[in-house]
Amino acid sequence: MACQPRSNWQQLATEYGFHFHTMYGQPYWDESAYYQFTLKQVEQDIEDPTAELHQMCLHVVDKVINSEALMQRFQIPQQHWDFVAESWRQQSPSLYSRLDLVYDGKHPAKLLENNADTPTSLYETGFWQWLWLEQQVNAGKLSRGADQFNSLQEKLVNRFAALKHQYGFHHIHFSCCQDSVEDRGTVQYLQDCASTAGVSAPFLYIEEIGLGDTGYFTDLADDAITHCFKLYPWEFMLRESFGDALSGAEVEWLEPAWKAVLSNKALLPMLWQEFENHPNLLPAFFEDDPLRPRHGKWIKKPLFSREGANISLIDDSQKAVPLSDGPYGEEGFIYQQFHSLPQYEGNYVLIGSWLVNDEPAGMSIREDSSVITQDLSRYLPHIIL
């Protein structure tokens, strides 16, 4: 639905710390249009399947951490198998995740992947698009009956409160890499949510984390880090020079190490093996699977790809047509049946369905003129009417 942008939204963004609404000269936040859903569409086609898919994914995690062959298949470094498995067996708590879904408003949503370790676009989902809705309703631009599938901020604050009282997360260091304004904005938002819940939430960059003689990770004051949220992928951490210190450092990590299984593209063929023909799944196979179909259209994805990197389209001739480049691929590939994103006004649209811990919590929408959603794809708000 076309929509008149708020006249002062850029100034508001500056005031509220939304510093990445435009990136590299391209608009990232776009309120010249919004997507409108019915309550039935949201509840039955997005929210309920999200909860079910999440439980299916957790079933796969349990299967993988109890199988050396599957840990190998997921490219978890062998020296860290016990570390990853122990985080699952001890039920180390998680914070949030996002399922990426193809949905056209008519047919069942299909899972493309699970961003369970380092999903961004959190601030613009939980806070900024909600502010847009409130202001547009108050200005008479949207119906008084307009709502949003969005309890993300409330659930994040409640989750931090639960982490504090049930798991002892009274003091959490927050961290991300130095070179991303978007990552820093995401972590700042999580710090605010944690502070609201009464949790002490200091920040330091990943590059500033030290390793003391004691075997503990330390902050810039040389204090031991005991609880840490890191917007930094487990597949990197497990391969870093400091990776061998992880098991002895006694840090409670958010996200926990078992997310190394959940955020891995190998999850997709495992889901298909366990729940074949589920209405919300696309057929998916490991590259070397003899049962993998050799006809039709398929998307070839690296196990560790992020931001839509290193994706290829396999057509009926079984030749690979690269759709995006990037640094991934050495770890192997999976094949997922091609299912085109729906198009509106010449743009392909992707639904992000958020969970806080195990509960569906909201929705984000990304739009691109390309068939692949990447880090600079535009973010558009949504309403329920």
Side-chain angles (χ1 to χ4, degrees), residues 36-46 103 105 363 383-385:
Q36 182 173 305
F37 297 78
T38 66
L39 184 61
K40 183 180 177 184
Q41 283 175 323
V42 169
E43 289 182 342
Q44 295 185 10
D45 296 349
I46 295 170
Y103 179 62
M363 180 166 66
I383 71 167
I384 301 170
L385 198 62

PDB file of all heavy atoms in Angstrom, residues 36-46 103 105 363 383-385:
ATOM      1  N   GLN A  36       0.043  -4.675   4.147  1.00  0.00           N
ATOM      2  CA  GLN A  36      -1.161  -4.826   4.969  1.00  0.00           C
ATOM      3  C   GLN A  36      -1.585  -6.292   4.997  1.00  0.00           C
ATOM      4  O   GLN A  36      -1.667  -6.939   3.964  1.00  0.00           O
ATOM      5  CB  GLN A  36      -2.282  -3.964   4.389  1.00  0.00           C
ATOM      6  CG  GLN A  36      -3.574  -4.005   5.196  1.00  0.00           C
ATOM      7  CD  GLN A  36      -4.583  -2.999   4.668  1.00  0.00           C
ATOM      8  OE1 GLN A  36      -4.289  -1.809   4.561  1.00  0.00           O
ATOM      9  NE2 GLN A  36      -5.763  -3.468   4.310  1.00  0.00           N
ATOM     10  N   PHE A  37      -1.848  -6.792   6.203  1.00  0.00           N
ATOM     11  CA  PHE A  37      -2.252  -8.182   6.422  1.00  0.00           C
ATOM     12  C   PHE A  37      -3.586  -8.213   7.167  1.00  0.00           C
ATOM     13  O   PHE A  37      -3.936  -7.260   7.860  1.00  0.00           O
ATOM     14  CB  PHE A  37      -1.210  -8.916   7.289  1.00  0.00           C
ATOM     15  CG  PHE A  37       0.152  -9.031   6.679  1.00  0.00           C
ATOM     16  CD1 PHE A  37       1.019  -7.949   6.672  1.00  0.00           C
ATOM     17  CD2 PHE A  37       0.582 -10.227   6.114  1.00  0.00           C
ATOM     18  CE1 PHE A  37       2.285  -8.046   6.116  1.00  0.00           C
ATOM     19  CE2 PHE A  37       1.842 -10.332   5.555  1.00  0.00           C
ATOM     20  CZ  PHE A  37       2.692  -9.248   5.555  1.00  0.00           C
ATOM     21  N   THR A  38      -4.285  -9.327   7.065  1.00  0.00           N
ATOM     22  CA  THR A  38      -5.429  -9.571   7.945  1.00  0.00           C
ATOM     23  C   THR A  38      -4.920 -10.272   9.203  1.00  0.00           C
ATOM     24  O   THR A  38      -3.841 -10.887   9.196  1.00  0.00           O
ATOM     25  CB  THR A  38      -6.485 -10.460   7.274  1.00  0.00           C
ATOM     26  OG1 THR A  38      -5.925 -11.778   7.071  1.00  0.00           O
ATOM     27  CG2 THR A  38      -6.928  -9.886   5.934  1.00  0.00           C
ATOM     28  N   LEU A  39      -5.695 -10.203  10.274  1.00  0.00           N
ATOM     29  CA  LEU A  39      -5.324 -10.877  11.515  1.00  0.00           C
ATOM     30  C   LEU A  39      -5.231 -12.389  11.292  1.00  0.00           C
ATOM     31  O   LEU A  39      -4.331 -13.052  11.818  1.00  0.00           O
ATOM     32  CB  LEU A  39      -6.350 -10.562  12.605  1.00  0.00           C
ATOM     33  CG  LEU A  39      -6.034 -11.119  13.997  1.00  0.00           C
ATOM     34  CD1 LEU A  39      -4.717 -10.561  14.525  1.00  0.00           C
ATOM     35  CD2 LEU A  39      -7.175 -10.794  14.972  1.00  0.00           C
ATOM     36  N   LYS A  40      -6.135 -12.934  10.490  1.00  0.00           N
ATOM     37  CA  LYS A  40      -6.114 -14.372  10.206  1.00  0.00           C
ATOM     38  C   LYS A  40      -4.822 -14.766   9.498  1.00  0.00           C
ATOM     39  O   LYS A  40      -4.207 -15.789   9.824  1.00  0.00           O
ATOM     40  CB  LYS A  40      -7.333 -14.742   9.346  1.00  0.00           C
ATOM     41  CG  LYS A  40      -7.448 -16.221   9.046  1.00  0.00           C
ATOM     42  CD  LYS A  40      -8.682 -16.517   8.189  1.00  0.00           C
ATOM     43  CE  LYS A  40      -8.747 -18.009   7.834  1.00  0.00           C
ATOM     44  NZ  LYS A  40      -9.891 -18.291   6.934  1.00  0.00           N
ATOM     45  N   GLN A  41      -4.385 -13.956   8.528  1.00  0.00           N
ATOM     46  CA  GLN A  41      -3.134 -14.251   7.828  1.00  0.00           C
ATOM     47  C   GLN A  41      -1.965 -14.304   8.802  1.00  0.00           C
ATOM     48  O   GLN A  41      -1.137 -15.212   8.758  1.00  0.00           O
ATOM     49  CB  GLN A  41      -2.868 -13.168   6.762  1.00  0.00           C
ATOM     50  CG  GLN A  41      -3.705 -13.308   5.512  1.00  0.00           C
ATOM     51  CD  GLN A  41      -3.469 -12.141   4.551  1.00  0.00           C
ATOM     52  OE1 GLN A  41      -3.298 -11.000   4.984  1.00  0.00           O
ATOM     53  NE2 GLN A  41      -3.465 -12.431   3.259  1.00  0.00           N
ATOM     54  N   VAL A  42      -1.907 -13.329   9.686  1.00  0.00           N
ATOM     55  CA  VAL A  42      -0.786 -13.252  10.619  1.00  0.00           C
ATOM     56  C   VAL A  42      -0.821 -14.419  11.610  1.00  0.00           C
ATOM     57  O   VAL A  42       0.186 -15.111  11.817  1.00  0.00           O
ATOM     58  CB  VAL A  42      -0.782 -11.899  11.367  1.00  0.00           C
ATOM     59  CG1 VAL A  42       0.200 -11.914  12.527  1.00  0.00           C
ATOM     60  CG2 VAL A  42      -0.448 -10.774  10.391  1.00  0.00           C
ATOM     61  N   GLU A  43      -1.987 -14.651  12.207  1.00  0.00           N
ATOM     62  CA  GLU A  43      -2.067 -15.678  13.256  1.00  0.00           C
ATOM     63  C   GLU A  43      -1.910 -17.086  12.691  1.00  0.00           C
ATOM     64  O   GLU A  43      -1.157 -17.909  13.236  1.00  0.00           O
ATOM     65  CB  GLU A  43      -3.394 -15.555  14.007  1.00  0.00           C
ATOM     66  CG  GLU A  43      -3.464 -14.314  14.895  1.00  0.00           C
ATOM     67  CD  GLU A  43      -4.762 -14.221  15.680  1.00  0.00           C
ATOM     68  OE1 GLU A  43      -5.756 -14.900  15.318  1.00  0.00           O
ATOM     69  OE2 GLU A  43      -4.796 -13.458  16.662  1.00  0.00           O
ATOM     70  N   GLN A  44      -2.612 -17.381  11.598  1.00  0.00           N
ATOM     71  CA  GLN A  44      -2.641 -18.759  11.092  1.00  0.00           C
ATOM     72  C   GLN A  44      -1.499 -19.073  10.131  1.00  0.00           C
ATOM     73  O   GLN A  44      -1.031 -20.209  10.079  1.00  0.00           O
ATOM     74  CB  GLN A  44      -3.978 -19.036  10.406  1.00  0.00           C
ATOM     75  CG  GLN A  44      -5.169 -18.991  11.355  1.00  0.00           C
ATOM     76  CD  GLN A  44      -6.479 -19.374  10.687  1.00  0.00           C
ATOM     77  OE1 GLN A  44      -6.512 -19.860   9.559  1.00  0.00           O
ATOM     78  NE2 GLN A  44      -7.580 -19.147  11.383  1.00  0.00           N
ATOM     79  N   ASP A  45      -1.055 -18.068   9.367  1.00  0.00           N
ATOM     80  CA  ASP A  45      -0.075 -18.340   8.319  1.00  0.00           C
ATOM     81  C   ASP A  45       1.357 -17.983   8.709  1.00  0.00           C
ATOM     82  O   ASP A  45       2.298 -18.447   8.065  1.00  0.00           O
ATOM     83  CB  ASP A  45      -0.434 -17.569   7.043  1.00  0.00           C
ATOM     84  CG  ASP A  45      -1.761 -18.026   6.448  1.00  0.00           C
ATOM     85  OD1 ASP A  45      -2.293 -19.064   6.894  1.00  0.00           O
ATOM     86  OD2 ASP A  45      -2.266 -17.348   5.542  1.00  0.00           O
ATOM     87  N   ILE A  46       1.527 -17.132   9.742  1.00  0.00           N
ATOM     88  CA  ILE A  46       2.880 -16.727  10.131  1.00  0.00           C
ATOM     89  C   ILE A  46       3.187 -17.087  11.581  1.00  0.00           C
ATOM     90  O   ILE A  46       4.152 -17.786  11.869  1.00  0.00           O
ATOM     91  CB  ILE A  46       3.078 -15.214   9.877  1.00  0.00           C
ATOM     92  CG1 ILE A  46       3.005 -14.948   8.368  1.00  0.00           C
ATOM     93  CG2 ILE A  46       4.415 -14.736  10.441  1.00  0.00           C
ATOM     94  CD1 ILE A  46       2.948 -13.501   7.989  1.00  0.00           C
ATOM     95  N   TYR A 103       6.122 -15.841   1.706  1.00  0.00           N
ATOM     96  CA  TYR A 103       4.677 -15.834   1.947  1.00  0.00           C
ATOM     97  C   TYR A 103       4.007 -14.867   0.995  1.00  0.00           C
ATOM     98  O   TYR A 103       4.404 -13.702   0.892  1.00  0.00           O
ATOM     99  CB  TYR A 103       4.386 -15.455   3.402  1.00  0.00           C
ATOM    100  CG  TYR A 103       2.917 -15.398   3.743  1.00  0.00           C
ATOM    101  CD1 TYR A 103       2.122 -16.543   3.633  1.00  0.00           C
ATOM    102  CD2 TYR A 103       2.325 -14.211   4.157  1.00  0.00           C
ATOM    103  CE1 TYR A 103       0.766 -16.487   3.929  1.00  0.00           C
ATOM    104  CE2 TYR A 103       0.977 -14.151   4.470  1.00  0.00           C
ATOM    105  CZ  TYR A 103       0.195 -15.296   4.351  1.00  0.00           C
ATOM    106  OH  TYR A 103      -1.139 -15.249   4.636  1.00  0.00           O
ATOM    107  N   GLY A 105       0.480 -14.445   1.001  1.00  0.00           N
ATOM    108  CA  GLY A 105      -0.851 -14.088   1.485  1.00  0.00           C
ATOM    109  C   GLY A 105      -1.923 -15.114   1.173  1.00  0.00           C
ATOM    110  O   GLY A 105      -3.037 -15.025   1.676  1.00  0.00           O
ATOM    111  N   MET A 363       7.172  -9.330  13.354  1.00  0.00           N
ATOM    112  CA  MET A 363       7.425  -9.556  11.933  1.00  0.00           C
ATOM    113  C   MET A 363       8.153  -8.363  11.327  1.00  0.00           C
ATOM    114  O   MET A 363       7.897  -7.215  11.674  1.00  0.00           O
ATOM    115  CB  MET A 363       6.073  -9.759  11.232  1.00  0.00           C
ATOM    116  CG  MET A 363       6.147 -10.009   9.743  1.00  0.00           C
ATOM    117  SD  MET A 363       4.556 -10.624   9.120  1.00  0.00           S
ATOM    118  CE  MET A 363       3.488  -9.213   9.371  1.00  0.00           C
ATOM    119  N   ILE A 383       1.176  -3.373   8.641  1.00  0.00           N
ATOM    120  CA  ILE A 383       0.049  -3.221   9.564  1.00  0.00           C
ATOM    121  C   ILE A 383      -0.868  -4.450   9.455  1.00  0.00           C
ATOM    122  O   ILE A 383      -0.832  -5.171   8.464  1.00  0.00           O
ATOM    123  CB  ILE A 383      -0.777  -1.940   9.326  1.00  0.00           C
ATOM    124  CG1 ILE A 383      -1.576  -2.048   8.013  1.00  0.00           C
ATOM    125  CG2 ILE A 383       0.088  -0.698   9.342  1.00  0.00           C
ATOM    126  CD1 ILE A 383      -2.650  -0.957   7.874  1.00  0.00           C
ATOM    127  N   ILE A 384      -1.652  -4.643  10.503  1.00  0.00           N
ATOM    128  CA  ILE A 384      -2.749  -5.617  10.489  1.00  0.00           C
ATOM    129  C   ILE A 384      -4.044  -4.813  10.483  1.00  0.00           C
ATOM    130  O   ILE A 384      -4.213  -3.918  11.323  1.00  0.00           O
ATOM    131  CB  ILE A 384      -2.710  -6.532  11.721  1.00  0.00           C
ATOM    132  CG1 ILE A 384      -1.390  -7.305  11.788  1.00  0.00           C
ATOM    133  CG2 ILE A 384      -3.901  -7.498  11.712  1.00  0.00           C
ATOM    134  CD1 ILE A 384      -1.181  -8.032  13.101  1.00  0.00           C
ATOM    135  N   LEU A 385      -4.922  -5.115   9.546  1.00  0.00           N
ATOM    136  CA  LEU A 385      -6.198  -4.401   9.496  1.00  0.00           C
ATOM    137  C   LEU A 385      -7.317  -5.392   9.237  1.00  0.00           C
ATOM    138  O   LEU A 385      -7.212  -6.176   8.282  1.00  0.00           O
ATOM    139  CB  LEU A 385      -6.162  -3.336   8.392  1.00  0.00           C
ATOM    140  CG  LEU A 385      -7.219  -2.235   8.480  1.00  0.00           C
ATOM    141  CD1 LEU A 385      -7.079  -1.410   9.770  1.00  0.00           C
ATOM    142  CD2 LEU A 385      -7.145  -1.329   7.263  1.00  0.00           C
TER     143      LEU A 385
END
